[in-house]
Amino acid sequence: MLEAMSDAGETTPKLFARLEKLEIDSTLESLLLYESQIDITCQGKEVIHRFQNDLSLPGIILVDRGGEFQGMISRWRFWEHMSRPYSLDLFYKRSLNSLYSFTQTQILILKGDTSIVEAARKSLERPTELLYEPIVVEGKNGGYLLLDIHQLLMAQSRIHELTSQLLDEKTYAHRIQTEKMASLGRAMAGVAHEIRNPVNSIDGNLEFIDEYSKNLIDLLKLYQAGVTIKSATIADFEEEIELEYLLEDLPKIVETMQVSAERLTHLVTGLRNFARVDDKKRQVINLTSCIEGTLLILHNQIKNAIEVIRDYEELPEIECYPGQLSQVFMNLLANAIDTLMERQEIEKDPQWQPQITISTRTVERPEDDRAIAIIIADNGMGISPQIQAKIFEEFFTTKPVGKGTGLGLAISHRAIAQKHGGQLKLRSEVGVGTAFEITLPVSRGNLE
């Protein structure tokens, strides 16, 4: 039987207690669902009040006066539209019909007896922009409830844990790595989702702030030119606020904010690319942007410690699986960071500068018209010939227990070779450093 959450929601302990009772074949009826609907002829302010009174509410189901289902609008999509210039004035006292005509999008409606695993699969098959839209659950009696996608992912994660307990001991390390990456992906996707809306709002409004501030400055200058004699009050106030400095510094502040907003936007894009779950379809991307997005994610580990040398050549766009390539770049860069930190700790040489060099080239190959080469090199410890022969084997690792599973390079090699028809090669010399070279065909025919 479907159980609906009250407006106040249930406490976190109760939610986790419910998740602990899940079984591998549990259905959506086992989860906590939101019973919140509103007449589509009501004014926009009614939805605002609903969302303000219940901060956990993921959306609102829209019905007609006869109670028939008309659609659904999610919390984030509602606020995204309402935060746009003039939207609040436009829709606050108007019928929800008006707003819904702008926000209407594809809705995933599932039966209450749908398994959690199947529901999670169907949810993740949606286009990227719809991944975090709530799911509408249809009850046996025809009523409609809402399921928060984050709760579904938590439930799916719990079921994944139950399934993992059945795995053979030989796959234990693989299971741990999969769970780590799944958790990391969910965390990154969640972070990107949460900060995307405010960042978009800030970035969009900064353009207006820039224009408005310039107009006000120009107006002030016209006033200054037209007023030949200033009162003592005006003169004192100009001196108090340091008017000349203010007029000079304000445009700089706005410009700095625009750069920061742009950086945040790139970070969100990088997080979403890395956590991408829709890699069943190839997409055309710019590899340089993909690399930079990965570097942005790793910025906290690199800044002030490692010098990154970029040697980029202008590359043609390539059709690929972006999430998998982001994972490959992440694995190679993370390994480079580890070996650089290891060498720095061992040698403690203040004159030695840890470096990562990233080079991109377009190369000619006999079997292809063109190919792209990406080289990620470090000046770390280097790898001995004995280890190089095993470096791409699954479960082989030189790291201490708990710090590596030996899957990163194996997964990277398989992603490049099998999924992209490319090559991943290693060059290394002990005491000098290591370089991984990725070669990807530009031709789309070589891809799966």
Side-chain angles (χ1 to χ4, degrees), residues 51-70:
F51 285 146
Q52 289 177 337
N53 291 333
D54 186 359
L55 299 180
S56 66
L57 194 64
I60 294 285
I61 291 176
L62 306 176
V63 297
D64 60 19
R65 293 184 176 178
E68 293 296 322
F69 179 82
Q70 297 297 311

Side-chain angles (χ1 to χ4, degrees), residues 192-259:
H193 172 69
E194 290 300 326
I195 66 178
R196 179 180 58 183
N197 291 338
V199 167
N200 286 345
S201 177
I202 293 170
D203 189 41
N205 285 313
L206 274 174
E207 182 179 346
F208 295 104
I209 292 176
D210 183 42
E211 181 181 353
Y212 296 162
S213 62
K214 289 178 179 176
N215 290 341
L216 288 174
I217 290 173
D218 290 341
L219 178 61
L220 180 57
K221 290 179 178 178
L222 289 175
Y223 277 129
Q224 288 178 320
V227 177
T228 56
I229 301 176
K230 298 180 183 177
S231 68
T233 302
I234 294 176
D236 290 343
F237 188 69
E238 287 184 356
E239 183 177 354
E240 179 182 344
I241 66 173
E242 300 182 26
L243 180 60
E244 291 186 6
Y245 176 76
L246 185 152
L247 295 177
E248 179 183 349
D249 196 47
L250 179 59
K252 295 179 181 178
I253 293 175
V254 174
E255 182 179 359
T256 301
M257 293 172 65
Q258 289 174 326
V259 171

Side-chain angles (χ1 to χ4, degrees), residues 30-82:
S30 306
L31 302 178
L32 299 171
L33 306 171
Y34 292 83
E35 186 175 24
S36 182
Q37 63 183 36
I38 194 170
D39 193 321
I40 197 169
T41 61
C42 289
Q43 296 177 348
K45 63 180 180 181
E46 297 296 328
V47 178
I48 293 178
H49 294 156
R50 292 280 188 97
F51 285 146
Q52 289 177 337
N53 291 333
D54 186 359
L55 299 180
S56 66
L57 194 64
I60 294 285
I61 291 176
L62 306 176
V63 297
D64 60 19
R65 293 184 176 178
E68 293 296 322
F69 179 82
Q70 297 297 311
M72 182 276 296
I73 180 170
S74 65
R75 171 187 287 271
W76 79 265
R77 193 174 293 277
F78 176 82
W79 286 120
E80 180 185 52
H81 281 266
M82 293 301 286

Side-chain angles (χ1 to χ4, degrees), residues 139-199:
K140 294 179 180 179
N141 298 326
Y144 292 92
L145 302 170
L146 279 181
L147 172 61
D148 190 347
I149 186 64
H150 293 91
Q151 185 190 163
L152 176 62
L153 291 177
M154 290 173 67
Q156 193 269 347
S157 178
R158 173 58 183 162
I159 291 175
H160 175 70
E161 291 174 4
L162 296 174
T163 305
S164 297
Q165 293 173 4
L166 304 177
L167 295 177
D168 189 86
E169 289 185 1
K170 291 183 180 180
T171 62
Y172 178 75
H174 198 171
R175 179 181 67 83
I176 294 297
Q177 179 70 2
T178 301
E179 185 63 24
K180 278 184 178 181
M181 295 313 300
S183 299
L184 179 61
R186 287 193 298 271
M188 285 190 172
V191 170
H193 172 69
E194 290 300 326
I195 66 178
R196 179 180 58 183
N197 291 338
V199 167

